[in-house]
C-alpha cells in the first residue's frame, strides 16, 4: 500500500512538472503575440497561475494544446453554437488528458473532484490567454456545469403536490379522466413552456431595469409575492394571465415615480438597440432551458438536442410498460376527446410487462451509456429513440405515499434522457426533475403550474359526455431484456441514491425566535441563517440513538458485519471533529436569468459557537436553580457579561450571513466564482477569499465541499406543494444533501439524502433497513436539536437582570 502511494506521488509529480513546462514553453513561444490589454497578470501572478493549473490538472501537453486553441480563437466573432462547441471541445480534451490519472488514487483523493476541477482549470487557461469565460460559455457557467457534473440519476430533485388529488377526489373523477388530465397538463407544458421562459426573462430584466433607472427598491420581492401560478378560470391561458398581471404590476409601481425618473427609464429601456438586445438574450434563454429537448449521454457530458414539434411525445407508464402518445395542442377542439381515448386504451391494455432495461439505463453512469445502448438490437434502439422523444413521463402505477420522495422516484422513470417524470401516490403527485433543465425554485413553479392545469383539465373533462367506443389500441414500447445487454450492464457500476430520510415540525418556534431576536437585540437572522448555524455545530452534539446502537450491535455479530460497524463508528467519531462546508444554492435570476443559480460555499466563522452557547445555557440553568437572579449581584454580572459576548457572536454571524447573501446574489460568492470558472486563481488574486472569514481556499471548498444545503423557502400562499428533495452532483465529495422548505400550513419540512460511503457500504451488503435507520436518526437528531437550540437561545435572550 505504501509502495503504491509512493508510485502515485511520483507519477503525479512528473505529470505536474510536464504540464508546467508545456504551458511555459507555449507562452514563451507566443511572447509578443500576447495582447497585454486583455490580461492584468504580471509575471509573478502568471507563474503562480501556471503552477496552480498544473497542480489541479496535470494533463501534460493537453493543457498547452487547449491554451493554444483559446489564444488562436480569442476575439473572433462566433455564433452561439460555435461558442458552445468550442468550449465543450476544450473541456472534453481536458477530461481525456486526465484519463491516465484515473487510477492514481493520490490525485483522486487530493485534487480531483470531477467537472468542478476541470472547469476551474479551464478558467485558469482562459486567464492565461487573456480570454473571457463568457466567450466560451454563452449559456452561463452553471448551465455548462450541470451538463458535465449534474447528469447522473442522483442529480434530480423532487417536488410533491397534493392539490390535484384533493380536487379529483372532490369531483370523483374516473381513472380515465385522472390520467387524461395529467396527459393534457403535460401537453400544455410542452406547448407553453417556451413562452413561459420568455416571460420569466422579461420579468427579471424589466424589474431590474426599473430599479436601476428609477431608484425603486424591493420590486423583485414584491413580485414574488404577487405572481400567479394558476389561471383564474378554465378558459384563461396561464401564461397570458401572468403576463397581464405582471404588466399591471410594473405599471402600477412606475406610476409612483417622477416624470424625470419615468423619462430616464424609457430612454434606456425602449431604445432600438436595447429592444434588439432584449430579443436576442430572450431567445438565447429559451434555447438554453427549453424542455423540448432530449438529453444525449456522452463520455464526459450530456448534451441537449431539440425535438421537432411534430415528434414531441409524452410517455405513460402503466403496469410496468411505457406507452407513447403524441403531444398535441391541448386547446384544439378534439384534444380532450383524443386524449381520453388514448388514456382509455392504455388503461385497458393487457400487455404483459416488457419494460426491463429502463431501470438499468437510468441507473448506469452516463459515461457508459453509448456502449451499453449499442448492445441492443436495431429494433430496440429504434424503440428507444422514440421513447427519448418523450419530454414528460407520466407514471400512472400508483405507489405508497408514506415513504421518502427519493424512494417514490425509484420506480419506473424513463431512461435518464427526459426532463420530467411524474408519479402518482394516491394522495399526491411527485415530480422528478432533471437538474440540466431545472433548479429547485423553477421546478417547484412547474410542479405547481402543472397541478393547477391538471385540475383545470379535470374540470373540463368532468363536463364531457360519456366516453364513446374506442378504436385506439395501445402498444407498449419494447424494452425487453436481452442476454447481451444484461451481460454488458452487469459489468458496469450502479449508483445507490435512495438512502433518504424526512422530518417535519411546525415552524412557529423558529419564527418566534426570529421575532424575539429582532425586538430584544435588533438582530435580523433569517430562518435559513438559524438552520445553517445549527448545522455547522450539530456534529458536536450528535450521538447515535439506542435503536441505531442496537442495530449496529446485531450487524456486528458476523465478520463482514463487524467491518461495516467499524466503518460506521469511525464515521461517527469523525463527525465530532469536523464542521461541514455547505454548498448553498442562491437564486441568480435577479442578477442574470441565464446564470440560473449561484452555488455559494459557506463555512461557519464561529466553529466553536457551541462552546459559548453551552456555557451560557449552563450559567443560566445554575442561576435559576439557585434562584440567584435579583439577589446575587456577582452571578448576575457574570451572566450578563457572558450574554453580551454571546450576542456579540450572533451579531458577527448576522453580518457574515448578510454579506454572504449580498455577495451571492450579485454573482460574486466564493462558490459561484468557482463554478463561474474564476475559482482557480492563485491566492494573490483571490481578493474575494480575503473578505470572507477563515481565509478559505476557494478551489478547495468548491471542489471538496461536504454537503448541499438547499432551502427553497416558504411556498406561495395557497400552494399545494408538500415536500421537496434536492439533487446531488456527480462526484463523491458531497456526502449529504439537505432539502428544506416550508409548506402552506407552516411546517418546516426537511429531506436528507445520504451518500456517506460507510452508509452505502451497508446498503451494498443488503442491509438497507439499517442504513435507512442511520440516516433517519441523524435527521431526527438534527431536527430535535435544532428546536432545543432555538428554545435555549430564546431563554438566553429573554433572561436578564430585570428577570
Amino acid at each position: 500500500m505504501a509502495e503504491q502511494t509512493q508510485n502515485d506521488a511520483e507519477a503525479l509529480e512528473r505529470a505536474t512538472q510536464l504540464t508546467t513546462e508545456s504551458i511555459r514553453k507555449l507562452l514563451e513561444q507566443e511572447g509578443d503575440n500576447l495582447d497585454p490589454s486583455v490580461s492584468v497578470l504580471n509575471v509573478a501572478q502568471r507563474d503562480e497561475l501556471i503552477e496552480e493549473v498544473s497542480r489541479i490538472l496535470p494533463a501534460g501537453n493537453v493543457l498547452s494544446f487547449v491554451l493554444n486553441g483559446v489564444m488562436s480563437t480569442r476575439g473572433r466573432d462566433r455564433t452561439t453554437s460555435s461558442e458552445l462547441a468550442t468550449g465543450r471541445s476544450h473541456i472534453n480534451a481536458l477530461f481525456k488528458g486526465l484519463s491516465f490519472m484515473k487510477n492514481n488514487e493520490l490525485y483522486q483523493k487530493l485534487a480531483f473532484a470531477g467537472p468542478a476541477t476541470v472547469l476551474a482549470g479551464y478558467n485558469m487557461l482562459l486567464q492565461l490567454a487573456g480570454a473571457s469565460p463568457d466567450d466560451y460559455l454563452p449559456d452561463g457557467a452553471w448551465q455548462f456545469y450541470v451538463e458535465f457534473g449534474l447528469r447522473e440519476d442522483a442529480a434530480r430533485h423532487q417536488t410533491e403536490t397534493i392539490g390535484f388529488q384533493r380536487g379529483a377526489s372532490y369531483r370523483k373523477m374516473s381513472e380515465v379522466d385522472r390520467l387524461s388530465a395529467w396527459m393534457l397538463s403535460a401537453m400544455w407544458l410542452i406547448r407553453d413552456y417556451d413562452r413561459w421562459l420568455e416571460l420569466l426573462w422579461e420579468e427579471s430584466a424589466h424589474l431590474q431595469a426599473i430599479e436601476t433607472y428609477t431608484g425603486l427598491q424591493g420590486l423583485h420581492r414584491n413580485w414574488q409575492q404577487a405572481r400567479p401560478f394558476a389561471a383564474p378560470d378554465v378558459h384563461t391561458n396561464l401564461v397570458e394571465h401572468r403576463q397581464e398581471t405582471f404588466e399591471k404590476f410594473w405599471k402600477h409601481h412606475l406610476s409612483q415615480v417622477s416624470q424625470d425618473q419615468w423619462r430616464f427609464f424609457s430612454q434606456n429601456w425602449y431604445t432600438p438597440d436595447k429592444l434588439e438586445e432584449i430579443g436576442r438574450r430572450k431567445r438565447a434563454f429559451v434555447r438554453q432551458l427549453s424542455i423540448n429537448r432530449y438529453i444525449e449521454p456522452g463520455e464526459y457530458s450530456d448534451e441537449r438536442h431539440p425535438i421537432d414539434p411534430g415528434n414531441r411525445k409524452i410517455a405513460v407508464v402503466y403496469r410496468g410498460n411505457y406507452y407513447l402518445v403524441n403531444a398535441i395542442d391541448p386547446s384544439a377542439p378534439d384534444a380532450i376527446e383524443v386524449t381520453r381515448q388514448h388514456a382509455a386504451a392504455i388503461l385497458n391494455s393487457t400487455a404483459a410487462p416488457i419494460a426491463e432495461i429502463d431501470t438499468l439505463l437510468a441507473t448506469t453512469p452516463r459515461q457508459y451509456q453509448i456502449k451499453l445502448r449499442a448492445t441492443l438490437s436495431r429494433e430496440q434502439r429504434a424503440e428507444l429513440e422514440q421513447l427519448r422523444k418523450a419530454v414528460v413521463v407520466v407514471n400512472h402505477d400508483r405507489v405508497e405515499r408514506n415513504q421518502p420522495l427519493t424512494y417514490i422516484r425509484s420506480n419506473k422513470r424513463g431512461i435518464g434522457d427526459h426532463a420530467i417524470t411524474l408519479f402518482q401516490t394516491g394522495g399526491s403527485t411527485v415530480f422528478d426533475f432533471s437538474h440540466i433543465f431545472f433548479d429547485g425554485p423553477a421546478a417547484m413553479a412547474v410542479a405547481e403550474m402543472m397541478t393547477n392545469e391538471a385540475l383545470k383539465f379535470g374540470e373540463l373533462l368532468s363536463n364531457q359526455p360519456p366516453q364513446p367506443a374506442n378504436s385506439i389500441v395501445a402498444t407498449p414500447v419494447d424494452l425487453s431484456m436481452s442476454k447481451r445487454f444484461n451481460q454488458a450492464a452487469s459489468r458496469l457500476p450502479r449508483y445507490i441514491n435512495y438512502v433518504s430520510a424526512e422530518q417535519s415540525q411546525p415552524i412557529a418556534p423558529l419564527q418566534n425566535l426570529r421575532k424575539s431576536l429582532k425586538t430584544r437585540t435588533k438582530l435580523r437572522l433569517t430562518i435559513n441563517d438559524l438552520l445553517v448555524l445549527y448545522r455547522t455545530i450539530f456534529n458536536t452534539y450528535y450521538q447515535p440513538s439506542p435503536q441505531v446502537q442496537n442495530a449496529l450491535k446485531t450487524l456486528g455479530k458476523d465478520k463482514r458485519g463487524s467491518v461495516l460497524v467499524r466503518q460506521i463508528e469511525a464515521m461517527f467519531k469523525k463527525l465530532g471533529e469536523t464542521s461541514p462546508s455547505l454548498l448553498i444554492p442562491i437564486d441568480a435570476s435577479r442578477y442574470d436569468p441565464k446564470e440560473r443559480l449561484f452555488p455559494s460555499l459557506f463555512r461557519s466563522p464561529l466553529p466553536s459557537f457551541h462552546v459559548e452557547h453551552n456555557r451560557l445555557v449552563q450559567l443560566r440553568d445554575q442561576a435559576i436553580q439557585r434562584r440567584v437572579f435579583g439577589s446575587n449581584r456577582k452571578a448576575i454580572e457574570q451572566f450578563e457579561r457572558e450574554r453580551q459576548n454571546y450576542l456579540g457572536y450572533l451579531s458577527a454571524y448576522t453580518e457574515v450571513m448578510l454579506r454572504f447573501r449580498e455577495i451571492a446574489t450579485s454573482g460574486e460568492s466564493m462558490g459561484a466564482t468557482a463554478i463561474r470558472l474564476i475559482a482557480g486563481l492563485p491566492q494573490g488574486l483571490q481578493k474575494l477569499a480575503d473578505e470572507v472569514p477563515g481565509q478559505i481556499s476557494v478551489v478547495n471548498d468548491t471542489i471538496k465541499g461536504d454537503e448541499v444545503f438547499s432551502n427553497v423557502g416558504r411556498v406561495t400562499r395557497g400552494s399545494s406543494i408538500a415536500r421537496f428533495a434536492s439533487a446531488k452532483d456527480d462526484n463523491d465529495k458531497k456526502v449529504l444533501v439537505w432539502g428544506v422548505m416550508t409548506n402552506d400550513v407552516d411546517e418546516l419540512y426537511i429531506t436528507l439524502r445520504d451518500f456517506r460511503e460507510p452508509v452505502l457500504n451497508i446498503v451494498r451488503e443488503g442491509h438497507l433497513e439499517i442504513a435507512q435507520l442511520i440516516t433517519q436518526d441523524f435527521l431526527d437528531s438534527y431536527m430535535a436539536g435544532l428546536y432545543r437550540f432555538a428554545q435555549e437561545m430564546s431563554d438566553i435572550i429573554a433572561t436578564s437582570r430585570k428577570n
Side-chain angles (χ1 to χ4, degrees), residues 16 25 34 114 181 184 207 400 413 440 475 624 644 686 755:
T16 301
K25 183 177 180 181
L34 292 175
L184 288 163
L207 294 180
E400 292 296 325
R413 54 193 181 276
T475 304
I624 290 176
Q644 288 304 313
Q686 290 176 359
F755 298 89

Side-chain angles (χ1 to χ4, degrees), residues 407 496 498-499 551-552 554-562 564-565 568 758-775:
Y407 286 62
I496 300 173
Y498 44 76
V499 182
L552 293 177
T554 301
L555 178 62
K557 289 182 177 179
D558 60 59
K559 184 176 181 180
R560 179 55 192 159
S562 64
L564 297 174
V565 170
I568 293 293
V759 176
L760 297 186
N761 286 339
I762 291 179
V763 177
R764 295 185 182 102
E765 292 297 320
H767 304 288
L768 176 59
E769 296 82 0
I770 297 178
Q772 171 71 34
L773 176 63
I774 292 170
T775 303

Side-chain angles (χ1 to χ4, degrees), residues 56-57 95 98 107-115 117-118 703 733:
I56 72 167
L57 293 183
F95 270 108
L98 289 173
Y107 175 64
Q108 297 293 326
K109 180 179 180 180
L110 297 180
F112 188 69
T117 311
V118 177
I703 293 174
K733 304 300 181 185

Side-chain angles (χ1 to χ4, degrees), residues 372-483:
L372 181 59
R373 297 182 189 202
T375 63
L376 297 170
S377 67
R378 182 166 54 184
E379 292 76 17
Q380 279 192 311
R381 288 201 297 273
E383 293 273 273
L384 215 61
E385 193 63 26
Q386 290 300 309
L387 178 58
R388 71 199 314 206
K389 304 296 174 58
V391 179
V392 180
V393 177
V394 180
N395 189 325
H396 200 66
D397 287 338
R398 190 169 301 176
V399 296
E400 292 296 325
R401 187 189 176 199
N402 59 345
Q403 54 184 327
L405 291 175
T406 51
Y407 286 62
I408 293 172
R409 62 90 55 190
S410 66
N411 291 276
K412 289 189 174 295
R413 54 193 181 276
I415 56 176
D417 298 354
H418 319 280
I420 309 172
T421 302
L422 279 62
F423 304 89
Q424 304 297 336
T425 73
S428 67
T429 301
V430 173
F431 298 76
D432 187 61
F433 294 97
S434 166
H435 220 323
I436 288 177
F437 297 100
F438 298 99
D439 302 307
M444 293 177 72
V446 168
E448 186 72 24
M449 291 189 300
M450 287 191 70
T451 299
N452 292 328
E453 289 296 309
L455 278 168
K456 181 177 78 172
F457 286 116
E459 185 172 338
L460 293 171
L461 285 159
S462 66
N463 296 323
Q464 294 296 307
Q467 189 173 334
N470 193 356
S471 60
I472 297 177
V473 177
T475 304
V477 179
D478 182 8
L479 298 178
S480 55
M481 185 70 70
S482 67
K483 183 177 180 181

Side-chain angles (χ1 to χ4, degrees), residues 502-514:
E502 300 182 2
Q503 180 61 273
S504 64
Q505 290 287 343
I507 201 169
L510 301 183
Q511 293 283 22
N512 293 336
L513 172 58
R514 282 192 66 221

